[in-house]
């Protein structure tokens, strides 16, 4: 694994309590590889969330935010401007995160769903407001935060972390343990689930205890939208078996099916 490197840990972050491992997950929210990495992250969270905390670090390739600053001022006063810019999705995610880490994660997942389904232009301010409504954010707070310096600075902070850790490929994951003196482990690119599982075990230096997976119904309560591939991956099923299980639940009107050019998505009704 040539793309695995040791790194020095950055400045200490909030205490991880009884979770000794911290994951920095570098993603470009508009990149298809981020959607495929999602299944790996979700399965790690389901089985080993008791060992680690995590944070998404946005790694959108942009040279500057200066060109956007004047154009977002209208957001602060609630003026409806359907501005369009490739930095807007990243700013929107950081604005959502100001309502909490889970809110930011929900927003990122829904944004990726929009990208995957080719719904609407996700570089559009109006579309990003719709996504915030879909994940039931506080819209007044989100609109103010979207145009705030705090959201822009949070995104700039992510880009700074990316530079400091010399991450030049996305997706990438950097693993840190609770000992500040120890180096982190940077895993550039995508690998099999077993590789990430092995790294966790090596960093814990003990046999991992795997949490039981939730039922499919419970999984949809947690994530709302999943692809056939994700279900197959999480439960170690063939795609055919996963499709059968999902069709059963569709007939029971628990979920609905969305067919795209690339894959089949399922979501709660």
């Amino acid at each position: 694994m040539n793309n695995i490197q040791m790194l020095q840990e950055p400045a200490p972050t909030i205490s991880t309590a009884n979770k000794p491992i911290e994951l920095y997950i570098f993603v470009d929210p508009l990149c298809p590889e981020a959607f495929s990495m999602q299944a790996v992250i979700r399965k790690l969270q389901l089985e080993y969330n008791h060992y680690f905390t995590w944070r998404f670090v946005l790694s959108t390739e942009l040279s500057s935010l200066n060109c956007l600053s004047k154009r977002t001022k209208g957001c602060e006063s609630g003026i409806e401007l359907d501005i369009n810019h490739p930095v807007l999705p990243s700013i929107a995610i950081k604005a959502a995160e100001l309502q909490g880490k889970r809110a930011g994660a929900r927003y990122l997942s829904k944004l990726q769903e929009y990208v995957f389904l080719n719904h609407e232009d996700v570089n559009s301010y109006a579309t990003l407001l719709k996504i915030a409504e879909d994940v039931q954010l506080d819209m007044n707070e989100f609109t103010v935060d979207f145009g705030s310096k705090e959201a822009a600075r949070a995104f700039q902070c992510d880009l700074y972390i990316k530079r400091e850790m010399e991450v030049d490929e996305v997706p990438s994951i950097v693993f840190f343990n609770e000992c500040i003196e120890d180096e982190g482990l940077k895993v550039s690119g995508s690998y099999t689930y077993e590789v990430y599982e092995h790294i966790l075990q090596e960093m814990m230096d003990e046999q991992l205890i795997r949490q039981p997976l939730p039922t499919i119904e419970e999984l949809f309560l947690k994530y709302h939208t999943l692809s056939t591939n994700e279900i197959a991956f999480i439960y170690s099923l063939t795609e055919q078996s996963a499709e059968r299980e999902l069709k059963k639940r569709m007939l029971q009107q628990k979920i609905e099916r969305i067919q795209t050019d690339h894959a089949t998505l399922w979501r709660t009704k």
Side-chain angles (χ1 to χ4, degrees):
M1 295 185 292
N2 295 329
N3 288 329
I4 298 181
Q5 304 171 27
M6 304 305 292
L7 294 175
Q8 292 294 332
E9 182 158 16
T13 54
I14 298 171
S15 170
T16 57
N18 295 322
K19 299 182 181 183
I21 307 298
E22 185 171 17
L23 272 57
Y24 284 67
I25 305 164
F26 293 82
V27 295
D28 180 342
L30 305 185
C31 181
E33 283 77 10
F35 200 88
S36 60
M37 174 64 81
Q38 181 172 268
V40 172
I41 300 303
R42 285 177 170 178
K43 188 168 183 176
L44 280 173
Q45 289 173 335
L46 291 168
E47 294 193 322
Y48 299 116
N49 194 48
H50 49 301
Y51 291 115
F52 66 88
T53 59
W54 52 271
R55 65 169 290 183
F56 284 114
V57 183
L58 303 183
S59 305
T60 308
E61 290 297 336
L62 292 159
S63 58
S64 173
L65 296 181
N66 293 338
C67 58
L68 183 69
S69 59
K70 293 180 181 178
R71 301 174 70 188
T72 54
K73 290 299 180 183
C75 304
E76 296 178 5
S77 58
I79 299 170
E80 292 298 325
L81 298 175
D82 191 13
I83 55 177
N84 189 296
H85 193 280
V87 77
L88 285 178
S90 295
I91 298 294
I93 294 165
K94 304 317 286 187
E97 283 182 358
L98 292 173
Q99 296 189 36
K101 186 176 178 180
R102 290 182 180 179
R106 288 200 316 271
Y107 192 93
L108 174 59
S109 293
K110 181 60 70 173
L111 173 68
Q112 290 175 329
E113 180 187 327
Y114 266 60
V115 172
F116 200 74
L117 293 174
N118 294 318
H119 264 330
E120 297 170 55
D121 181 6
V122 294
N123 292 331
S124 160
Y125 175 61
T127 300
L128 294 167
L129 286 180
K130 287 183 185 178
I131 295 172
E133 289 177 347
D134 285 351
V135 296
Q136 299 180 331
L137 297 183
D138 182 315
M139 291 305 297
N140 289 333
E141 188 177 337
F142 179 78
T143 302
V144 171
D145 288 338
F146 202 153
S148 72
K149 292 179 180 178
E150 286 76 11
R153 284 173 181 162
F155 176 49
Q156 289 174 318
C157 180
D158 278 11
L159 297 181
Y160 173 78
I161 292 171
K162 178 176 181 282
R163 289 194 302 272
E164 284 294 296
M165 294 192 187
E166 298 179 349
V167 172
D168 52 15
E169 183 177 355
V170 290
S172 290
I173 301 179
V174 179
F175 294 77
F176 288 105
N177 65 24
E178 58 190 343
C179 182
I180 296 173
E181 290 77 19
D182 287 353
E183 294 179 322
L185 187 67
K186 179 171 69 176
V187 184
S188 300
S190 300
Y191 287 89
T192 63
Y193 183 75
E194 290 71 25
V195 169
Y196 301 108
E197 197 174 32
H198 177 72
I199 291 170
L200 270 179
Q201 182 162 313
E202 288 292 305
M203 296 193 80
M204 290 297 301
D205 196 25
E206 63 182 57
Q207 186 65 40
L208 297 180
I209 299 172
R210 185 183 288 135
Q211 294 181 132
L213 291 170
T215 64
I216 291 178
E217 286 80 6
E218 290 169 340
L219 191 68
F220 273 98
L221 288 175
K222 184 176 179 67
Y223 294 121
H224 305 298
T225 303
L226 296 119
S227 68
T228 305
N229 290 340
E230 277 185 288
I231 295 292
F233 177 79
I234 288 170
Y235 292 101
S236 301
L237 299 171
T238 64
E239 284 193 41
Q240 291 80 5
S241 297
E243 182 91 8
R244 282 197 298 272
E245 291 299 319
L246 290 161
K247 282 181 176 176
K248 288 178 191 176
R249 288 156 179 82
M250 182 179 69
L251 291 172
Q252 295 168 349
Q253 297 188 332
K254 294 179 178 178
I255 57 176
E256 60 181 349
R257 178 176 183 163
I258 310 163
Q259 191 64 51
T260 77
D261 293 337
H262 312 290
T264 303
L265 294 183
W266 308 81
R267 68 183 174 199
T268 50
K269 297 192 74 171

